[in-house]
């Protein structure tokens, strides 16, 4: 017998057995169960570890609560009737700052400060359409915050010293026009800045606030250089995640006096560092996080390793992420999850060596009814290795399944291994869900990301196409029942795929997707104009590369789309042109293309987005069911 055939026989036998197994009935879980709003979220510990704060949903609104950990009593400290808290943090043991939604302005927030018992609430910012960001989340001299704001000039962010007692703002550093980010040290002193000429980025440094900034190092934007913190022992040392002169990111030290990398704290030729945890109390890094198909910690401190080992014992079978801690690092807020479990929040007490559950992320979801997210790999037509995930529906033979291809938002993002409500919802409806990290996705190194530049309508689409063909050849996908759907950049990819890969998809959907690259570039806000040339390098130049930009923009190709289309959009979204989307829908309907058009009042990702999510996914379920039913 042929050796190769002999080796394949067990595999073929298993496939035959699986195909002969009767399929069990799967409970159809209500749409609303998958997309519930969090009852409690944004847990945070006061610096002294005596109070625990959180945001709680009350009907259509959110409010801020504080629990006294000694007595167990909880007090509501905000009393909103309409608007929601977008973000908040402790600035001292007695005060919190929160960002509240600004009426009619999705991108903007009003900023308030309030005592931990709900007294003495006052507004810190009310600058019309300007933006403000707190640079260091702690009070300086018991009354100042260092903030960046574009209130002087909408295109640049200056730095101000904000007096939280009287609301007065004094300029601490004026932006010469090219600074895109500012950084402080642990004490709140303004020490670093990053400038851009559109393509190259320069790190600027000063040892003391009364000194002038000096240029340290300049890198092309294609290289990652992300400052994390400034050494407290050596003020000229900056810690950063960097892939300068290497393909994969590493954790490094930069000597600002010498203007070069002085030490590598962690690197690996096959692993990409995506994050690192610095302990302020111990004044050293605890671990780095690398990501392949799953995030993995590599410890730089034995105490940190012991901490997570203890968490693994207390919370077995889950992934643990520390999301907050007190200054002494005795109390931690921990978030757990798996690919089939949305997870829970816990309070971990180091001294007592125990955990207390705070709340479940989504208590109605049962892990036993969810589906495993499996890593997969295939080769693109040019030989590049593409990785992703395949989630198969429960109790279905993994042969000739209807498939929903789910390209990620981005483009510089990636799919990750986690609980994904959208994926689980689609799998529960009987679809195999295929996610791939096409070239241009983050997490696989500098060369892989750069391979996606100016390929939005080219090789990125080829990667998607090749991935679907691979899934068909593997026997998993029914070639007559394949759909593609995405949000944001994923929605753009979905629409683009409908005309660049004719005959492959029976339908496609876009949620808040870009349809015109020219309009997308025009929508870039003024404060990002220093990066405009970088966007041209990644997307394309609307002046010199007109033909490519038109070819890659779905709005110009309504005449080539032959299958049903689902489009959802928020007319108030500043990143999309609602008029163009409506005209695009009209052009499709003129040609008798079936279109499901859903207008969203606001983003489904906003705190009050539960109703929007319910309508969106109910409509999407009907659309997919109608078009993938085999009629």
């Amino acid at each position: 017998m042929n050796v190769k055939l002999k080796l394949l026989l067990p595999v073929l036998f298993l496939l035959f057995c699986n195909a002969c197994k009767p399929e069990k009935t799967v409970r159809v879980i209500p749409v609303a169960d998958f997309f519930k709003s969090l009852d409690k979220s944004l847990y945070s510990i006061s610096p002294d570890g005596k109070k625990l704060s959180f945001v709680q949903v009350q009907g259509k609104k959110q409010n801020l609560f504080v629990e006294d950990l000694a007595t167990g009593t909880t007090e509501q400290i905000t009393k909103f009737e309409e608007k929601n808290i977008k973000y908040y943090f402790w600035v001292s043991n007695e005060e919190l700052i929160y960002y509240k939604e600004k009426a009619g302005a999705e991108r903007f927030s009003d900023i308030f400060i309030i005592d931990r018992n709900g007294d003495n609430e006052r507004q810190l910012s009310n600058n019309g359409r300007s933006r403000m960001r707190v640079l260091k989340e702690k009070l300086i001299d018991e009354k100042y915050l260092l903030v960046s704001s574009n209130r002087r000039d909408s295109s640049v962010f200056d730095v101000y010293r904000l007096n939280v007692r009287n609301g007065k703002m004094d300029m601490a550093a004026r932006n010469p026009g090219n600074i895109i980010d500012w950084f402080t040290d642990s004490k709140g002193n303004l020490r670093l800045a990053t400038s851009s000429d559109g393509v190259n980025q320069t790190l600027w440094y000063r040892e003391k606030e009364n000194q002038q900034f000096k240029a340290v190092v300049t890198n092309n934007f294609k290289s990652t250089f992300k400052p994390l913190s400034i050494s407290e022992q050596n003020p000229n040392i900056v810690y950063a995640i960097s892939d300068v002169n290497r393909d994969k990111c590493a954790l490094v030290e930069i000597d600002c006096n010498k203007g070069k990398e002085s030490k590598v704290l962690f690197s690996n030729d096959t692993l990409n560092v995506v994050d690192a945890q610095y302990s302020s109390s111990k004044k050293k890094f605890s671990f780095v996080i690398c990501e392949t198909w799953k995030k993995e910690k590599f410890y730089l401190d034995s105490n940190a390793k012991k901490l997570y080992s203890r968490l693994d014992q207390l919370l077995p079978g889950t992934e643990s992420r520390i999301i907050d801690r007190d200054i002494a690092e005795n109390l931690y807020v921990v978030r757990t999850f798996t690919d089939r479990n949305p997870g829970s929040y816990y309070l971990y007490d180091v001294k007592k060596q125990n955990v207390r559950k705070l709340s479940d992320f989504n208590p109605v979801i049962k892990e036993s009814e969810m589906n495993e997210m499996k890593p997969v790999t295939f080769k693109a037509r040019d030989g590049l290795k593409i990785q992703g995930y395949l989630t198969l529906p429960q109790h279905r033979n993994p042969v000739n399944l209807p498939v929903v291809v789910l390209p990620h938002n981005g483009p510089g993002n990636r799919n990750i291994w986690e609980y994904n409500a959208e994926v689980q919802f689609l799998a529960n409806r009987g679809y195999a869900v295929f996610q791939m990290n096409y070239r241009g996705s983050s997490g696989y190194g500098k060369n892989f990301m750069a391979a996606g530049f100016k390929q939005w309508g080219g090789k990125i689409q080829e990667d998607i196409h090749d991935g679907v063909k691979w899934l068909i050849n593997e026997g998993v996908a029914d070639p007559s029942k394949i759909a593609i759907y995405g949000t944001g950049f994923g929605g753009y990819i979905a629409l683009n795929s409908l005309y660049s890969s004719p005959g492959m998809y029976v339908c496609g959907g876009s949620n808040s997707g870009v349809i015109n690259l020219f309009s997308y570039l025009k929508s870039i806000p003024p404060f990002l104009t220093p990066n405009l040339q970088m966007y041209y390098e990644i997307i394309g130049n609307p002046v010199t590369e007109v033909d490519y930009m038109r070819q890659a923009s779905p709005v110009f190709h309504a005449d080539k789309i032959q299958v049903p289309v689902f489009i959802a959009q928020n007319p108030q979204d500043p990143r999309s042109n609602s008029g163009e989307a409506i005209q695009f829908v009209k052009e499709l309907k003129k040609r008798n293309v079936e279109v499901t058009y859903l207008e969203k009042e606001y983003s489904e990702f906003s705190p009050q987005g539960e109703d929007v999510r319910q309508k969106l996914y109910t409509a999407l379920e009907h659309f997919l069911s109608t078009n993938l039913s085999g009629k």
Side-chain angles (χ1 to χ4, degrees):
M1 181 183 293
N2 182 285
V3 174
K4 193 171 183 180
L5 179 59
K6 187 176 181 180
L7 291 172
L8 282 174
L9 282 176
V11 177
L12 294 172
F13 178 73
L14 287 174
L15 287 174
F16 175 78
C17 291
N18 283 333
C20 294
K21 284 181 181 178
E23 295 181 352
K24 298 179 182 178
T25 302
V26 175
R27 181 176 77 96
V28 177
I29 300 169
V31 173
D33 285 3
F34 283 107
F35 303 104
K36 291 176 66 66
S37 294
L38 288 176
D39 180 41
K40 295 180 181 179
S41 62
L42 300 180
Y43 288 94
S44 185
I45 304 172
S46 62
D48 60 10
K50 295 181 178 180
K51 302 290 189 294
L52 176 71
S53 55
F54 57 91
V55 170
Q56 183 168 348
V57 173
Q58 297 175 311
K60 299 290 183 182
K61 60 186 181 297
Q62 292 177 316
N63 274 299
L64 188 57
F65 291 75
V66 172
E67 177 188 342
D68 186 313
L69 292 173
T71 65
T73 57
T74 299
E75 189 172 1
Q76 179 178 337
I77 68 169
T78 62
K79 296 178 173 59
F80 301 146
E81 295 299 328
E82 295 179 353
K83 296 301 171 183
N84 292 284
I85 293 174
K86 298 181 75 172
Y87 177 65
Y88 81 91
F89 55 90
W90 291 85
V91 286
S92 70
N93 293 323
E94 304 299 325
E95 296 166 299
L96 303 95
I97 282 179
Y98 65 85
Y99 292 60
K100 186 172 75 170
E101 286 179 323
K102 195 176 182 73
E106 184 177 304
R107 285 184 176 181
F108 301 87
S109 306
D110 290 326
I111 303 178
F112 293 78
I113 188 168
I114 190 170
D115 291 352
R116 63 175 175 78
N117 60 3
D119 294 339
N120 203 21
E121 182 179 29
R122 55 225 185 262
Q123 188 166 349
L124 296 178
S125 75
N126 185 13
N127 299 314
R129 301 289 294 180
S130 65
R131 295 165 63 101
M132 180 189 290
R133 179 171 73 91
V134 176
L135 294 177
K136 185 64 180 176
E137 296 180 353
K138 87 178 215 183
L139 288 178
I140 302 168
D141 298 332
E142 299 300 319
K143 62 180 177 180
Y144 294 110
L145 281 176
L146 213 58
V147 302
S148 64
S149 174
N150 62 341
R151 72 174 191 170
R152 177 183 64 84
D153 182 338
S154 63
S155 64
V156 297
F157 279 81
D158 303 308
V159 179
Y160 296 85
R161 193 176 293 273
L162 169 63
N163 188 323
V164 301
R165 306 303 171 207
N166 58 23
K168 185 179 179 182
M169 290 176 63
D170 295 317
M171 188 174 291
R174 184 184 177 95
N175 194 327
N178 61 346
I179 301 296
I180 58 174
D181 212 349
W182 303 92
F183 303 89
T184 72
D185 61 19
S186 62
K187 297 179 178 62
N189 298 310
L190 187 63
R191 299 278 306 285
L192 299 175
T194 304
S195 67
S196 173
D197 64 6
V199 176
N200 299 306
Q201 295 183 356
T202 300
L203 179 70
W204 298 80
Y205 159 81
R206 65 184 182 186
E207 185 175 339
K208 298 178 181 178
E209 283 196 318
N210 60 359
Q211 297 176 339
Q212 295 294 315
F213 282 101
K214 66 175 184 178
V216 175
V217 62
T218 298
N219 297 299
N220 186 273
F221 82 92
K222 294 178 183 178
S223 293
T224 298
F225 184 82
K226 177 184 173 184
L228 297 177
S229 60
I230 302 171
S231 171
E232 296 185 46
Q233 296 92 341
N234 300 303
N236 61 301
I237 295 296
V238 171
Y239 303 114
I241 291 176
S242 170
D243 62 14
V244 177
N245 299 322
R246 54 174 67 86
D247 180 50
K248 302 292 191 294
C249 281
L251 178 63
V252 302
E253 287 184 0
I254 301 294
D255 188 323
C256 293
N257 289 337
K258 296 180 180 179
K260 63 180 183 180
E261 185 179 299
S262 57
K263 187 177 181 180
V264 177
L265 300 179
F266 180 91
S267 69
N268 186 295
D269 290 341
T270 62
L271 295 173
N272 200 59
V273 176
V274 295
D275 202 359
Q277 180 64 58
Y278 183 78
S279 170
S280 297
S281 66
K282 297 180 176 63
K283 296 180 173 54
K284 61 181 177 180
F285 279 93
S286 302
F287 54 82
V288 298
I289 296 176
C290 298
E291 188 168 24
T292 51
W293 71 275
K294 192 176 182 181
K295 288 183 177 177
E296 183 179 0
K297 300 181 189 71
F298 291 82
Y299 294 97
L300 304 177
D301 175 44
S302 59
N303 290 324
K305 186 173 183 179
K306 290 177 183 176
L307 169 67
Y308 276 90
S309 295
R310 180 58 179 158
L311 285 175
D312 289 341
Q313 293 172 1
L314 293 170
L315 304 166
T318 66
E319 294 289 311
S320 297
R321 299 282 187 270
I322 291 174
I323 60 175
D324 198 29
R325 69 194 74 197
D326 64 350
I327 287 180
E329 299 188 3
N330 290 321
L331 286 177
Y332 294 84
V333 175
V334 181
R335 161 81 197 280
T336 64
F337 68 93
T338 69
D339 56 337
R340 300 191 300 133
N341 187 337
S344 306
Y345 292 104
Y346 293 87
L347 185 67
Y348 173 53
D349 189 315
V350 174
K351 293 180 178 178
K352 296 179 181 178
Q353 290 289 292
N354 64 12
V355 292
R356 165 193 155 199
K357 180 183 277 193
L358 300 173
S359 66
D360 290 316
F361 201 82
N362 186 346
V364 301
I365 293 297
K366 297 177 181 178
E367 185 173 352
S368 61
E369 294 183 310
M370 298 298 105
N371 307 276
E372 184 181 358
M373 191 177 183
K374 299 178 180 179
V376 295
T377 302
F378 64 91
K379 288 284 186 72
R381 65 191 67 181
D382 61 0
L384 187 65
K385 183 170 76 170
I386 307 295
Q387 301 179 59
Y389 304 92
L390 179 63
T391 303
L392 298 172
Q394 275 196 11
H395 308 311
R396 293 285 302 273
N397 295 322
V399 179
N400 284 334
L401 293 172
V403 174
V404 177
V405 180
L406 203 64
H408 65 72
N409 199 350
N413 293 336
R414 59 163 286 170
N415 292 301
I416 61 176
W417 185 90
E418 63 176 354
Y419 176 84
N420 185 313
E422 189 172 67
V423 169
Q424 295 297 336
F425 159 70
L426 292 169
N428 179 255
R429 274 24 182 195
Y431 306 117
V433 184
F434 189 32
Q435 302 167 275
M436 64 193 83
N437 289 325
Y438 43 78
R439 68 191 72 202
S441 299
S442 63
Y444 296 95
K446 178 166 54 180
N447 295 332
F448 188 86
M449 177 174 280
F453 291 173
K454 295 186 181 180
Q455 295 297 328
W456 288 25
K459 290 186 177 180
I460 287 178
Q461 291 296 335
E462 291 177 1
D463 291 346
I464 304 287
H465 182 100
D466 294 346
V468 175
K469 292 293 290 183
W470 170 80
L471 202 62
I472 292 171
N473 293 336
E474 289 292 305
V476 175
D478 181 340
S480 68
K481 295 183 181 181
I482 300 175
I484 185 167
Y485 165 80
T487 297
F489 181 68
Y492 160 81
I493 282 183
L495 293 178
N496 197 308
S497 296
L498 295 184
Y499 65 84
S500 63
S501 297
M504 175 162 281
Y505 304 100
V506 297
C507 62
S510 168
N511 175 24
S512 304
V514 174
I515 64 169
N516 186 345
L517 296 184
F518 295 98
S519 299
Y520 175 69
L521 288 171
K522 287 180 181 178
S523 72
I524 292 174
F527 59 85
L528 290 178
T529 50
N531 290 327
L532 197 56
Q533 190 60 44
M534 178 186 71
Y535 285 100
Y536 291 169
E537 290 286 326
I538 295 173
I539 302 169
N541 191 308
V543 176
T544 62
E545 297 172 297
V546 174
D547 290 343
Y548 161 71
M549 297 279 283
R550 285 184 63 88
Q551 176 268 323
S553 298
V555 72
F556 301 111
H557 302 282
D559 61 321
K560 298 183 182 70
I561 296 176
Q562 309 292 336
V563 298
V565 177
F566 176 94
I567 292 180
Q569 69 157 2
N570 174 7
Q572 304 303 317
D573 185 350
R575 291 153 294 194
S576 65
N577 187 318
S578 60
E580 285 185 330
I582 292 171
Q583 185 59 39
F584 181 64
V585 168
K586 288 180 179 178
E587 292 296 323
L588 291 171
K589 288 184 174 180
K590 278 182 187 178
R591 299 178 42 256
N592 296 319
V593 173
E594 293 181 27
V595 180
T596 299
Y597 178 70
L598 178 67
E599 212 165 76
K600 302 180 295 182
E601 182 181 354
Y602 36 71
S603 170
E604 68 273 21
F605 304 110
S606 63
Q608 69 272 57
E610 188 167 346
D611 290 344
V612 177
R613 293 192 293 273
Q614 172 79 21
K615 292 175 184 177
L616 171 67
Y617 288 105
T618 297
L620 179 64
E621 176 180 19
H622 178 74
F623 173 80
L624 293 173
S625 176
T626 300
N627 292 290
L628 292 177
S629 62
K631 293 192 301 180

